[in-house]
Amino acid sequence: MAAERGARRLLSTSSFWLCCLLLLGRRASGAAATRSGSPPQSPESSIRTFTPFYFLVEPVDTLSVRGSSVILNCSAYSEPSPKIEWKKDGTFLNLVSDDRRQLLSDGSLFISSVVHSKHNKPDEGYYQCVATVDSLGTIVSRTAKLTIAGLPRFSSQPEPSSVYAGNSAILNCEVNADLVPFVRWEQNRQPLLLDDRVIKLPSGTLVISNATEGDEGLYRCIVEGGGPPKYSDEAELKVLPDPEVVPNLVFLKQPSSLVRVIGQSAVLPCVASGLPTPTIRWMKNEEALDVESSERLVLLAGGSLEISDVTEDDAGTYFCIADNGNETIEAQAELTVQVQPEFLKQPTNIYAHESMDIIFECEVTGKPTPTVKWVKNGDMVIPSDYFKIVKEHNLQVLGLVKSDEGFYQCIAENDVGNAQAGAQLIILEHDVAIPTLPPTSLTSATTDHLAPATTGPLPSAPRDVVASLVSTRFIKLTWRTPASDPHGDNLTYSVFYTKEGIARERVENTSRPGEMQVTIQNLMPATVYIFRVMAQNKHGSGESSAPLRVETQPEVQLPGPAPNIRAYATSPTSITVTWETPLSGNGEIQNYKLYYMEKGTDKEQDVDVSSHSHTISGLKKYTEYSFRVVAYNKHGPGVSTQDVAVRTFSDVPSAAPQNLSLEVRNSKSIVIHWQPPPPATQNGQITGYKIRYRKASRKSDVTETLVTGTQLSQLIEGLDRGTEYNFRVAALTINGTGPATDWLSAETFESDLDETRVPEVPSSLHVRPLVTSIVVSWTPPENQNIVVRGYAIGYGIGSPHAQTIKVDYKQRYYTIENLDPSSHYVITLKAFNNVGEGIPLYESAVTRPHTDTSEVDLFVINAPYTPVPDPTPMMPPVGVQASILSHDTIRITWADNSLPKHQKITDSRYYTVRWKTNIPANTKYKNANATTLSYLVTGLKPNTLYEFSVMVTKGRRSSTWSMTAHGTTFELVPTSPPKDVTVVSKEGKPRTIIVNWQPPSEANGKITGYIIYYSTDVNAEIHDWVIEPVVGNRLTHQIQELTLDTPYYFKIQARNSKGMGPMSEAVQFRTPKASGSAGKGSRLPDLGSEYKPPMSGSNSPHGSPTSSLDSNMLLVIIVSVGVITIVVVVIIAIFCTRRTTSHQKKKRAACKSVNGSHKYKGNSKDVKPPDLWIHHERLELKPIDKSPDPNPIMTDTPIPRNSQDITPVDNSMDSNIHQRRNSYRGHESEDSMSTLAGRRGMRPKMMMPFDTQPPQQSVRNTPSTDTMPASSSQTCCTDHQDPEGATSSSYLASSQEEDSGQSLPTAHVRPSHPLKSFAVPAVPPPGPPTYDPALPSTPLLSQQALNHHIHSVKTASIGTLGRSRPPMPVVVPSAPEVQETTRMLEDSESSYEPDELTKEMAHLEGLMKDLNAITTA
C-alpha cells in the first residue's frame, strides 16, 4: 500500500510540473497572460487555473425624465460567455414578459419609456447587473441609481426688482434639484443668451452684473423636464441712474455650504450691491485666493467663485469679501469634498485545501469612510462562526469545505457611490500541492509544507491522543509519535477538529517539527468537539488517528447585562433609571445593584434594587450623572451594562452674582461690573442678568434692565448729576430669576471730569504712628478736574513697596495694622484711575515701643470703604517682593503666615502668581502656579513696570490676592529700527535734505541717540557709509551740500544705554537737478539766509571758489574786523609790556615747553590774555573742563561732498572756525546743518566716546587744579592741528556744549587734506607740513569753565577719509566767559616782549597784503 501511494504521489507531482511547463510555453507564445487557458489535464489529478471572469462595463447613476428612454450599460467577460440578469432594489427583474424593459445583446438594460407619477414610480430605484457562468460562479456589478426628475415645482420665482447702473442684480428661480439642468431664462419672452456678464447659477438663479439699460425688461424662467414646459411668473427689472443718497453695501446672494464629489465643479455664489460698485475678493481659510493665476478658479459674473475639478485640498471655509471703498462686508461658506470608494488593496485569487483557514484581504478608502460587505457567488455573506469579518474589511473563512469554492466580491459603499472587486477561491485535492510558495492568503495555522512530495514511506497514525487540559474555551491535546517513526524528530502534525454534527472541519498545525502538543483556542463552552491527528514527513501526510470526542467545560452561570437601560431626569434633583431582565440570565435573578456617579468625579455610589426601575433623589441641580446596572443571581454579580449619562433639570440660581462693583464714568453714567454665581449654584445655563437700580433717596422708584447672554458689565446712562444710586444684580436661567446681590451705592460726579491722564499728587499726607499700627490720613489732589477712582497706599520697613493697599476714592483715612513695634516704616500714597497711577507722596513714621501705653487715646476712624481681607478660609501671602534679574525676568518671593516658622511646605497647597503692566490700565492678568515660596516670571518686556500679587490655594480653600509688588525690568538694546524714515528736499535748497523718522517700536529703554548712515552706493560696506550722529531727543536732521541729481541711500540706527539697535531699511532719495551751473566763477547755490561767512575768511566750506562779489564783500568785512582787532591788541600789548616782570618771563618760558601744558598760580594777575588768532605753532585744542556725561550728544560733521569741492591749497591758514560754526549743537534750531563727504566713497574717521565702555588706553590730559583761574584752560602756546583735527575737535566741543558737566578726553583723528589759506592755491610740498596759526572760536566755546580733572574714555573710530596718517592728539581748550575775558585783559600783566610784538605785527602786515591782493583780484 505504501508503495502504491508513493507511486501515485510521484505521478501527481510529475503532472504538476508538466502543467507548469505547458503554461510557460503558452505564455511565451503569446497566449493570455494572467487569465488564459483551460486547465491542463493529467491522468490522475489536475490543477485548475483561475478563470477570467469580470465586468467590462458597469452601470452608472443616471438622471432621466418622464417618458424618455434610458440605457443602463453592463457587459461582462468570461469563457464561456456569462448569462446576464438584472436586479432592481435587490429583486431579479422578469424581462421575458416586460414590453418596456428589455435586455440588449451586450447585457445592457434598455427602458423604452420611463414611467413616473406621484403614486407610481416603477422605474426609479437601484439597479444591479448579475453575471453567471454555470459550474463556475456568479459576480454582481456595482449598484446604479436611476433618478426620475419629478414634476416641475418652483420653490422661489423671480420678483420685480431694480438695480443701479453698473451694479449687479439677481432673479431667483429655484426648482427641485433634479430639474435644475432643464431650467432656462427668457427676457421679454425671448430666449436669454448667457455670457460672461449674465450667468445662471447651479440653483437656477439668474445673475446680471454691470447692469445697463439694455438689461431692463420682463424676465421669466422655464422648466422643460419632459412634457409641456412650465413657466414661472414674470418679473420686471428696472435699471436706475445714480441716486442722490448713496445706498449701503449689501449682499444680494451669499454663499452657502456646499458638498461636492471629487472631480465635480463647485460654484460658491456671492453677489453684492452698493455704490460705488463693490469689488469681490475671496479668501480660503484666511488666505487670499489668487484667482487670476489659477487654472481651476474662475470669478463669475457678480463675483461668484467657480472651482472646477474639485480635489480634497479644495475643502475648507471660503470667505467672500465685498468692498466699495466706503465699507466692507463679508460672508462665509464651507465646502466639503467627498470621495467615492477606492480600493487600496483588492482581494486576490486563492488556492487552498479543505479544512484550511483563509483570509480575503480588502482595503478601501473614501470620504465618508466606506462600509464593506462581502458577496459569494452573488449572495450576501452573513457572518457566522466560520465566516468572520476581521480587521474591519477582511473576510476570514474557517475550515474550508468543497462548497466554499466560487467568486467572492468585496463591495465598498458610502454616500457618494459604491465599488466592487472580486477574487476566486479554488479548493484542491489533498494530494495536489498548492502552487504558491507560500500562500499569502492562508492563515498561519493552516500553512502546509507545500514542497512537492518525494517517493517514500509515509508515517503511521500518532498514538495515544488525549485531551490533557479541558477548559470552557480551549482544549490542550497531546500524543505520542507514530509506531513507524519512534523518534519523530522530523515529523510535523496537523490537528483536525469539528463540532459534533457539523461537517465543516478545521485544522491546526504544530509550530515546529517534533512538537507533540497543540492548544485549540476559541471554542464554545459545554460543546462536544471531534479531534483527529495526522503526521507528515517529507514524503507527505500519513494515517489519521482515531477520532477523539471531548466536551468543553460549562461556564459559571452568571447573569448577562440588563438590556434596554434608560435614564431620564424627573426634577432638578432626581433621575429615574429603568431596565429589563437579562436575556441570558442563566438562573433566577435575585436582585440588581444600581451604580451612579457624578461626572467629573471618581466616587461611585450604589443602591440595591429589587425591581426594574429606581428613582434617585437628592442629586445636584443641572448636573450630569452616569448610571449602570449589574444583575445578581446565586453565583454572584453578572456582567455590567454600559454607562448611560443624563443631566438633572435646571433650576433658578441658588446664589447671587459675585464681585459686584460700580465705576462712575461721568456725571450721567455708571458702569456696573459683576461675575457669575459660583458654578455649583448656577443650576443651569445662565441666560442673562437682571439689574435693578434706584436713587438712594427714593426707595420705591426702581428701574430694571435686562442683560442677555454672558455679558458681565452694563453701562447705565441718563442718570442725574451728583446723585447717589443703589444697584443690585440677579442671575437668570430659563427657569427664572435667582437671588439678587446686596444693594451697592455709587454717586455720579457733579461735573464731567478728565480721565485721559493719571491723577495728580495728593495735596497732603499725614501719619500717626501707634505701637502696631499707623493711622494714615490725606487730602485729595488739588486739581479736582481729573478723575480719581481710588488711592494706593504702599508701606514697608525702609521701603514703601513691601505691601500695597487700595482704597475707595471717597476714603480719607486708613489704619495700617499688624506692624512691628519700634520700626521705621516708609509710606507712599498715590491716586489712581483707569489710565494709571499718579505721582506718589512719601512720608515716614516710627511705630511706638511696646511699653508705650498712649495708644488708648486712639480715636475711631470711620472707614466704611476699606476692603478688609476676609480671614477665612485662608490668609493671603505677605511680604511679596519683586527682584529684577534681567530685561525679561523678575523673581517673585513671598511669605506664608499660615506655614510654620521655618516656612516649609508639607501639604498639597500651591500658590498662584499673577502679573500685568500698569499702563494701559485694562491689561489682562497673566497667571502661573508655584509650589514653593518663589516664582521666576519670564518672557516680560524690557524697561516695563509690572505689578505682581500672590494667592494661596489648599484643596477647595483659597485666599484673597496679596498686596501688590512692583518691578521694572532692565533695559535692553533696541530690537527694532527707527520707523517711518522719510527724506525730503528742503524748499529752495536743492542741495539740502531733511531726514525725518520716528522712534523704534521696541526701544526697550530711553533712546539716547541716533546715527544716520548714508551713501551713494547701497551695496557698499557699512563702514564705508558716511555717518551723522544726532541727539536722542530729536526726530529730524538736515544734511546740506549734497551733489545734485544724485541718488543717496539713508539708514538710521537708534541707541540706548545698552547699546545700538538694528538699522532701518535703506531709503533712497535723488537730489533734484540744478537750476543753474555752479562751476567756477559762479555763486555756490543753497547757502541760504542762515549761512554765516567764516571769520577766518576762508573759501566755501570745501574749497570751492565763490563769486567775486561775495568774495569781495566777505574779505572787506574780514579785513575791517581784522584791522580793528589788531589795533586793540597792539594797544593792550603796549600797555601790558610795561608791566612785564621777570616772574612773568619765567612763566612764559614754562608755557612754551614741549608738552604745551600751562602752569599758573591761582592769582588773577597771573592770567595770560587770549592768544592772538594767528600763530606759527601747531594748534592744541584742550578739552573743556566739565563733569563726565555718560551720554555725549552726537553732532554733525562737515565733510566735503565731491572731488570738485576739494582744492589743494597752501597749508598756511586754518578753516577751523567755520567748521565749528557749522557743527550741530543740541540747543540750536532744527535748521542746523551738516555736510556730506562724497569724496569717492570715503569719509572722515572720527573718535566717538562710548559711555558703556571703560577706558582702555591713556590719552594726554591737561592737568588742572581747583586754584587755577578760569582762563587756565586757554593755551598760551598752542600747537596747530591739521583741519581734520579741527573737525573732530569741533564735534567734541559742540557735544560738550550740549551737556554741561561733560569732560572729554583728547581725541585722535586722521588728517586727510591740508587746510585752505588766503594765499593762491598751490600743491603742498612733500614732507612734514608746516601749520599756520588757527583762530580759536571763543563764542562757540563760551561755557562755565569748571576746573575738574579730565577723564579719559575709550573712543570708537567711524570711517576713514583721505590718505592714512598716524593719529595726532587734539586737545580742546576751555573758553572763558566774555566778561571774564574782559577782566583778564584789564587786570593781567603783559607776557609779551616788544620784540615779539614787532614780529607779530610784521606777520600781520604780510597777511594784510595777501588779503588786499585777493580783494583786488
Side-chain angles (χ1 to χ4, degrees):
M1 289 293 296
E4 183 180 353
R5 284 197 301 272
R8 187 180 294 114
R9 180 69 64 184
L10 178 61
L11 181 59
S12 174
T13 304
S14 302
S15 302
F16 166 74
W17 290 112
L18 180 59
C19 292
C20 292
L21 291 174
L22 290 174
L23 285 173
L24 291 176
R26 290 179 63 185
R27 290 179 181 177
S29 62
T34 59
R35 301 175 179 266
S36 63
S38 58
Q41 303 294 325
S42 65
E44 293 195 31
S45 64
S46 63
I47 298 180
R48 291 178 291 125
T49 59
F50 296 112
T51 303
F53 189 16
Y54 53 90
F55 284 102
L56 297 172
V57 178
E58 294 184 77
V60 295
D61 295 345
T62 305
L63 172 65
S64 182
V65 295
R66 182 178 53 180
S68 63
S69 60
V70 174
I71 293 181
L72 297 175
N73 294 311
C74 179
S75 176
Y77 172 79
S78 178
E79 292 182 2
S81 297
K83 173 186 175 183
I84 301 296
E85 296 177 288
W86 282 86
K87 282 184 177 182
K88 177 181 178 293
D89 299 331
T91 303
F92 281 101
L93 292 175
N94 184 8
L95 303 177
V96 177
S97 59
D98 197 329
D99 56 350
R100 288 191 310 107
R101 295 179 288 200
Q102 58 180 330
L103 189 68
L104 301 182
S105 59
D106 61 350
S108 298
L109 177 64
F110 174 71
I111 303 176
S112 59
S113 179
V114 172
V115 175
H116 189 81
S117 64
K118 183 177 181 180
H119 302 289
N120 184 25
K121 302 176 182 179
D123 295 331
E124 191 172 57
Y126 292 89
Y127 289 81
Q128 190 174 39
C129 178
V130 181
T132 304
V133 176
D134 292 338
S135 73
L136 187 61
T138 302
I139 58 175
V140 296
S141 71
R142 67 177 299 276
T143 57
K145 182 180 181 181
L146 175 60
T147 303
I148 311 301
L151 298 176
R153 291 188 184 89
F154 294 103
S155 56
S156 68
Q157 300 192 47
E159 297 178 354
S161 60
S162 58
V163 61
Y164 294 108
N167 251 310
S168 298
I170 65 168
L171 294 168
N172 292 317
C173 179
E174 296 184 3
V175 297
N176 37 327
D178 301 336
L179 294 174
V180 169
F182 307 104
V183 173
R184 65 179 181 85
W185 282 86
E186 289 184 352
Q187 179 186 12
N188 297 325
R189 307 212 172 181
Q190 296 297 322
L192 180 64
L193 298 179
L194 304 180
D195 52 24
D196 293 340
R197 193 178 62 85
V198 180
I199 65 168
K200 184 187 72 172
L201 296 178
S203 63
T205 299
L206 183 68
V207 178
I208 302 174
S209 63
N210 193 17
T212 63
E213 292 183 358
D215 294 323
E216 288 188 331
L218 296 175
Y219 288 82
R220 67 177 180 178
C221 64
I222 303 97
V223 181
E224 299 175 327
K230 185 168 184 177
Y231 297 90
S232 71
D233 297 337
E234 283 190 327
E236 183 179 8
L237 177 66
K238 295 182 180 180
V239 179
L240 307 177
D242 290 344
E244 296 180 358
V245 179
V246 177
N248 293 331
L249 182 61
V250 294
F251 277 118
L252 301 179
K253 188 76 173 178
Q254 297 190 33
S256 56
S257 296
L258 198 61
V259 178
R260 283 293 179 268
V261 180
I262 187 170
Q264 293 181 345
S265 294
V267 175
L268 295 170
C270 184
V271 182
S273 175
L275 288 180
T277 302
T279 58
I280 302 292
R281 56 188 175 92
W282 285 85
M283 297 180 66
K284 177 193 172 188
N285 299 333
E286 299 184 359
E287 293 184 3
L289 290 179
D290 188 2
V291 179
E292 296 181 356
S293 61
S294 175
E295 296 180 355
R296 297 190 304 110
L297 302 180
V298 178
L299 206 60
L300 303 177
S304 299
L305 179 67
E306 181 181 21
I307 308 173
S308 59
D309 193 17
V310 169
T311 65
E312 287 190 79
D313 294 337
D314 293 327
T317 303
Y318 287 79
F319 296 86
C320 171
I321 302 171
D323 185 4
N324 66 352
N326 295 332
E327 54 183 324
T328 302
I329 56 177
E330 72 173 42
Q332 68 181 60
E334 190 82 15
L335 175 61
T336 303
V337 178
Q338 295 182 336
V339 182
Q340 292 181 342
E342 294 181 2
F343 288 98
L344 300 177
K345 187 172 186 179
Q346 297 188 13
T348 57
N349 297 329
I350 296 177
Y351 283 114
H353 289 147
E354 284 188 281
S355 302
M356 281 186 176
D357 299 342
I358 64 167
I359 291 180
F360 283 109
E361 294 182 343
C362 178
E363 293 184 20
V364 295
T365 184
K367 188 180 291 186
T369 302
T371 59
V372 170
K373 61 183 179 180
W374 284 86
V375 172
K376 176 202 171 188
N377 290 331
D379 296 325
M380 186 76 65
V381 173
I382 300 175
S384 63
D385 292 342
Y386 297 97
F387 288 87
K388 297 182 178 181
I389 304 297
V390 296
K391 294 183 180 180
E392 296 184 1
H393 299 153
N394 298 337
L395 176 65
Q396 182 181 36
V397 184
L398 305 177
L400 290 175
V401 295
K402 190 67 175 177
S403 61
D404 292 333
E405 272 192 344
F407 286 89
Y408 291 80
Q409 290 176 277
C410 174
I411 299 178
E413 185 177 10
N414 63 7
D415 294 342
V416 184
N418 60 88
Q420 61 83 25
Q424 186 180 4
L425 170 63
I426 294 179
I427 297 180
L428 302 175
E429 299 294 334
H430 278 287
D431 57 352
V432 178
I434 297 175
T436 55
L437 297 173
T440 57
S441 295
L442 300 180
T443 64
S444 59
T446 60
T447 301
D448 281 330
H449 304 280
L450 302 172
T454 58
T455 303
L458 298 175
S460 59
R463 297 174 293 174
D464 302 334
V465 178
V466 295
S468 60
L469 182 60
V470 179
S471 181
T472 58
R473 299 284 179 175
F474 67 89
I475 293 177
K476 183 178 181 181
L477 295 179
T478 58
W479 57 86
R480 293 171 55 209
T481 57
S484 61
D485 194 346
H487 298 288
D489 295 336
N490 296 322
L491 294 180
T492 59
Y493 299 90
S494 296
V495 178
F496 296 86
Y497 64 98
T498 182
K499 288 183 183 180
E500 189 175 42
I502 301 298
R504 186 181 292 273
E505 192 176 47
R506 298 184 61 189
V507 63
E508 187 81 20
N509 295 320
T510 55
S511 57
R512 61 182 181 273
E515 185 179 20
M516 290 179 291
Q517 64 179 16
V518 162
T519 299
I520 308 298
Q521 303 279 357
N522 301 321
L523 303 179
M524 298 296 295
T527 304
V528 176
Y529 288 88
I530 308 298
F531 297 90
R532 62 187 181 92
V533 183
M534 291 179 61
Q536 293 97 18
N537 61 12
K538 62 182 178 179
H539 306 298
S541 298
E543 297 179 2
S544 173
S545 66
L548 174 67
R549 184 177 182 274
V550 182
E551 183 178 3
T552 54
Q553 295 289 334
E555 279 189 335
V556 177
Q557 303 295 309
L558 293 176
N564 299 328
I565 179 173
R566 292 178 59 249
Y568 55 91
T570 55
S571 75
T573 58
S574 62
I575 292 177
T576 299
V577 185
T578 63
W579 61 91
E580 297 178 2
T581 304
L583 299 178
S584 56
N586 296 329
E588 183 180 355
I589 301 297
Q590 294 181 341
N591 70 315
Y592 300 92
K593 184 163 287 190
L594 174 62
Y595 295 87
Y596 65 97
M597 180 174 59
E598 181 183 345
K599 186 175 182 181
T601 65
D602 55 359
K603 184 179 179 181
E604 191 174 45
Q605 305 179 61
D606 61 83
V607 59
D608 290 330
V609 181
S610 58
S611 61
H612 292 117
S613 66
H614 185 74
T615 299
I616 300 177
S617 302
L619 303 178
K620 295 180 181 180
K621 298 178 180 180
Y622 198 66
T623 303
E624 187 173 352
Y625 290 86
S626 63
F627 300 87
R628 63 186 182 93
V629 175
V630 176
Y632 281 73
N633 64 8
K634 62 182 180 180
H635 300 290
V639 181
S640 173
T641 63
Q642 296 291 327
D643 288 354
V644 293
V646 67
R647 185 186 296 271
T648 54
F649 288 153
S650 62
D651 199 0
V652 297
S654 55
Q658 306 177 93
N659 302 330
L660 180 64
S661 63
L662 303 177
E663 177 187 341
V664 181
R665 279 291 177 90
N666 50 48
S667 62
K668 292 188 176 182
S669 63
I670 295 177
V671 178
I672 180 169
H673 300 269
W674 64 90
Q675 291 296 320
T681 64
Q682 293 180 9
N683 301 337
Q685 193 74 30
I686 298 296
T687 59
Y689 296 89
K690 181 183 293 185
I691 302 173
R692 305 181 69 191
Y693 62 95
R694 67 188 181 190
K695 291 183 180 180
S697 59
R698 299 175 61 185
K699 300 294 184 179
S700 60
D701 187 11
V702 176
T703 304
E704 284 192 358
T705 299
L706 289 179
V707 176
T708 60
T710 58
Q711 183 177 335
L712 297 177
S713 64
Q714 178 67 22
L715 176 65
I716 307 297
E717 297 181 296
L719 306 178
D720 295 339
R721 297 175 180 266
T723 305
E724 184 178 2
Y725 284 87
N726 296 333
F727 294 84
R728 69 192 308 179
V729 180
L732 303 175
T733 64
I734 60 174
N735 304 89
T737 305
T741 61
D742 294 333
W743 290 101
L744 188 61
S745 300
E747 184 178 346
T748 55
F749 298 140
E750 287 288 349
S751 60
D752 291 334
L753 303 181
D754 179 18
E755 199 172 7
T756 61
R757 48 184 175 150
V758 298
E760 295 184 355
V761 62
S763 54
S764 68
L765 172 63
H766 304 281
V767 296
R768 181 188 177 195
L770 302 175
V771 177
T772 59
S773 62
I774 296 177
V775 180
V776 183
S777 61
W778 62 90
T779 55
E782 293 181 358
N783 188 351
Q784 299 291 324
N785 295 323
I786 302 177
V787 175
V788 176
R789 302 213 173 265
Y791 296 90
I793 304 171
Y795 64 95
I797 298 178
S799 171
H801 305 301
Q803 300 284 344
T804 302
I805 296 173
K806 290 188 176 181
V807 298
D808 190 81
Y809 73 96
K810 293 183 179 180
Q811 196 156 337
R812 299 293 181 265
Y813 304 94
Y814 186 77
T815 301
I816 305 175
E817 306 280 357
N818 302 321
L819 304 181
D820 296 332
S822 303
S823 300
H824 181 263
Y825 282 88
V826 179
I827 299 161
T828 180
L829 178 71
K830 294 179 287 185
F832 67 85
N833 57 20
N834 289 336
V835 178
E837 295 179 343
I839 302 173
L841 193 60
Y842 292 90
E843 189 60 82
S844 62
V846 179
T847 52
R848 299 178 182 180
H850 266 303
T851 57
D852 193 340
T853 60
S854 60
E855 193 169 345
V856 296
D857 297 331
L858 173 64
F859 56 90
V860 177
I861 297 174
N862 181 18
Y865 295 96
T866 303
V868 180
D870 188 358
T872 60
M874 296 194 71
M875 292 293 292
V878 297
V880 181
Q881 301 256 349
S883 304
I884 294 88
L885 303 182
S886 70
H887 67 275
D888 64 348
T889 304
I890 295 181
R891 180 181 295 278
I892 309 301
T893 58
W894 59 88
D896 190 345
N897 285 342
S898 62
L899 290 175
K901 291 184 178 180
H902 56 74
Q903 293 285 292
K904 185 175 182 181
I905 302 173
T906 58
D907 50 23
S908 60
R909 71 180 63 201
Y910 65 91
Y911 302 89
T912 302
V913 183
R914 72 174 183 179
W915 65 93
K916 74 177 185 70
T917 58
N918 279 353
I919 298 178
N922 57 355
T923 305
K924 293 184 179 179
Y925 280 100
K926 293 185 178 180
N927 297 277
N929 292 334
T931 56
T932 61
L933 296 177
S934 67
Y935 183 74
L936 202 64
V937 182
T938 60
L940 304 178
K941 295 180 180 179
N943 193 41
T944 304
L945 174 64
Y946 287 87
E947 69 172 34
F948 303 86
S949 55
V950 187
M951 68 179 290
V952 59
T953 302
K954 180 180 178 182
R956 295 186 178 181
R957 299 191 304 154
S958 298
S959 71
T960 58
W961 290 104
S962 68
M963 303 302 176
T964 57
H966 294 80
T968 303
T969 51
F970 294 148
E971 291 188 359
L972 182 68
V973 296
T975 52
S976 67
K979 58 184 181 180
D980 300 338
V981 180
T982 58
V983 183
V984 296
S985 178
K986 188 167 184 179
E987 185 177 358
K989 298 182 179 181
R991 297 181 65 181
T992 301
I993 60 95
I994 301 174
V995 184
N996 303 297
W997 64 93
Q998 291 297 318
S1001 300
E1002 299 174 1
N1004 300 336
K1006 181 182 178 181
I1007 296 299
T1008 58
Y1010 298 92
I1011 294 182
I1012 302 176
Y1013 297 79
Y1014 56 102
S1015 171
T1016 58
D1017 182 7
V1018 71
N1019 297 319
E1021 296 292 336
I1022 195 62
H1023 58 74
D1024 290 330
W1025 289 50
V1026 181
I1027 66 101
E1028 291 284 349
V1030 182
V1031 66
N1033 59 359
R1034 299 180 66 87
L1035 298 175
T1036 184
H1037 187 65
Q1038 294 189 18
I1039 300 176
Q1040 70 167 358
E1041 297 303 318
L1042 301 180
T1043 304
L1044 297 175
D1045 195 21
T1046 302
Y1048 288 87
Y1049 299 90
F1050 297 84
K1051 296 181 180 180
I1052 302 184
Q1053 189 177 25
R1055 171 189 180 188
N1056 60 17
S1057 63
K1058 292 298 182 180
M1060 309 296 291
M1063 292 184 185
S1064 65
E1065 295 292 331
V1067 176
Q1068 182 184 8
F1069 180 80
R1070 177 180 287 274
T1071 53
K1073 296 182 179 180
S1075 57
S1077 175
K1080 283 189 176 182
S1082 63
R1083 180 179 180 273
L1084 187 64
D1086 302 331
L1087 293 180
S1089 60
E1090 297 179 7
Y1091 176 78
K1092 298 180 181 179
M1095 293 177 65
S1096 61
S1098 66
N1099 287 344
S1100 63
H1102 312 290
S1104 300
T1106 61
S1107 67
S1108 59
L1109 180 59
D1110 292 345
S1111 300
N1112 293 337
M1113 184 178 297
L1114 179 65
L1115 292 177
V1116 168
I1117 295 173
I1118 293 175
V1119 170
S1120 301
V1121 175
V1123 170
I1124 295 173
T1125 305
I1126 292 170
V1127 172
V1128 175
V1129 170
V1130 169
I1131 295 173
I1132 295 174
I1134 294 173
F1135 174 77
C1136 294
T1137 301
R1138 296 176 180 177
R1139 303 177 60 184
T1140 304
T1141 64
S1142 60
H1143 175 70
Q1144 283 109 7
K1145 292 181 180 180
K1146 293 179 182 179
K1147 184 167 60 178
R1148 183 174 67 249
C1151 181
K1152 294 184 178 180
S1153 60
V1154 176
N1155 59 11
S1157 62
H1158 317 302
K1159 304 186 182 209
Y1160 303 110
K1161 293 182 180 179
N1163 192 339
S1164 62
K1165 292 183 179 182
D1166 298 335
V1167 177
K1168 176 184 175 299
D1171 291 343
L1172 295 176
W1173 285 8
I1174 304 176
H1175 301 275
H1176 291 284
E1177 293 83 23
R1178 308 181 102 188
L1179 171 65
E1180 182 177 8
L1181 300 177
K1182 297 186 178 180
I1184 303 169
D1185 291 332
K1186 293 182 179 181
S1187 61
D1189 187 346
N1191 182 24
I1193 302 299
M1194 304 177 185
T1195 62
D1196 298 349
T1197 305
I1199 316 167
R1201 291 301 182 276
N1202 49 45
S1203 58
Q1204 288 80 10
D1205 293 336
I1206 302 173
T1207 305
V1209 296
D1210 184 74
N1211 53 351
S1212 60
M1213 281 302 293
D1214 185 82
S1215 62
N1216 185 33
I1217 299 305
H1218 175 68
Q1219 289 175 335
R1220 283 186 188 171
R1221 181 164 297 186
N1222 227 15
S1223 298
Y1224 168 73
R1225 295 182 295 168
H1227 60 270
E1228 292 181 348
S1229 68
E1230 293 187 5
D1231 290 334
S1232 59
M1233 302 179 182
S1234 64
T1235 54
L1236 162 66
R1239 196 179 186 190
R1240 304 188 186 278
M1242 309 298 285
R1243 57 189 173 85
K1245 186 160 188 175
M1246 301 188 300
M1247 317 301 281
M1248 296 178 58
F1250 279 74
D1251 54 344
T1252 58
Q1253 298 177 350
Q1256 298 182 6
Q1257 63 182 16
S1258 60
V1259 296
R1260 186 173 62 171
N1261 297 333
T1262 302
S1264 61
T1265 61
D1266 294 340
T1267 60
M1268 189 178 298
S1271 62
S1272 63
S1273 61
Q1274 188 77 14
T1275 61
C1276 65
C1277 307
T1278 309
D1279 291 343
H1280 292 277
Q1281 178 69 9
D1282 89 51
E1284 198 71 12
T1287 299
S1288 295
S1289 300
S1290 171
Y1291 159 69
L1292 293 173
S1294 59
S1295 298
Q1296 301 300 334
E1297 291 173 5
E1298 178 64 29
D1299 288 334
S1300 62
Q1302 171 71 28
S1303 175
L1304 283 179
T1306 58
H1308 291 178
V1309 300
R1310 296 182 183 273
S1312 62
H1313 60 79
L1315 297 173
K1316 320 299 185 293
S1317 75
F1318 291 114
V1320 177
V1323 178
T1330 60
Y1331 295 88
D1332 287 347
L1335 305 178
S1337 178
T1338 301
L1340 289 179
L1341 298 175
S1342 59
Q1343 300 270 346
Q1344 291 289 344
L1346 303 177
N1347 295 319
H1348 298 295
H1349 292 286
I1350 307 304
H1351 295 265
S1352 63
V1353 298
K1354 183 180 177 181
T1355 60
S1357 62
I1358 306 177
T1360 60
L1361 178 62
R1363 61 182 181 275
S1364 174
R1365 297 170 72 179
M1368 305 181 69
V1370 177
V1371 183
V1372 181
S1374 296
E1377 294 287 354
V1378 176
Q1379 297 84 350
E1380 194 175 14
T1381 304
T1382 305
R1383 180 178 54 80
M1384 288 190 298
L1385 291 175
E1386 294 175 353
D1387 298 342
S1388 62
E1389 295 180 2
S1390 174
S1391 60
Y1392 280 83
E1393 295 294 335
D1395 55 348
E1396 294 175 333
L1397 290 175
T1398 302
K1399 293 180 180 179
E1400 295 292 337
M1401 292 299 296
H1403 177 72
L1404 289 174
E1405 290 175 0
L1407 181 59
M1408 294 298 297
K1409 292 179 180 180
D1410 292 339
L1411 293 176
N1412 291 333
I1414 295 173
T1415 304
T1416 56

